[in-house]
Amino acid sequence: SFYGLRLAEVAAFVGDIFRQRGLEVGSQVVWSRVFELWPAELKDFSDAVVLAVALAHRAPRLATFDRALARVAARHGVRSAW
């Protein structure tokens, strides 16, 4: 990374932030699902957010040109729109 941190270190740090007692994150994102997907299955945090939202809404298809995201989405039952 730009800052010389390994992805696992960044993931642990971000995960710690989201697990803080009293923290409330309001959105349609299922953050626990994001952290299941990132970085274990998807290396890009934003891809994990996109797929987590698609899964939460039971989207049958996902429009993306990102092949890695499309492959992981397919493993979770979300087909590519292309």
Side-chain angles (χ1 to χ4, degrees):
S1 80
F2 178 81
Y3 296 102
L5 298 172
R6 292 178 300 126
L7 186 57
E9 292 174 301
V10 175
F13 176 72
V14 173
D16 288 346
I17 291 170
F18 276 82
R19 284 189 290 276
Q20 292 295 313
R21 184 175 294 159
L23 177 70
E24 292 184 32
V25 180
S27 73
Q28 295 183 9
V29 178
V30 179
W31 291 105
S32 60
R33 190 60 178 254
V34 171
F35 291 111
E36 289 171 7
L37 295 167
W38 177 80
E41 294 187 63
L42 290 164
K43 301 303 179 208
D44 190 315
F45 184 76
S46 61
D47 287 349
V49 172
V50 168
L51 183 54
V53 171
L55 293 169
H57 290 277
R58 299 178 187 206
R61 293 182 179 265
L62 179 64
T64 182
F65 293 107
D66 184 319
R67 291 183 182 190
L69 174 55
R71 277 193 303 273
V72 174
R75 285 200 304 262
H76 287 274
V78 181
R79 295 180 25 214
S80 175
W82 316 124

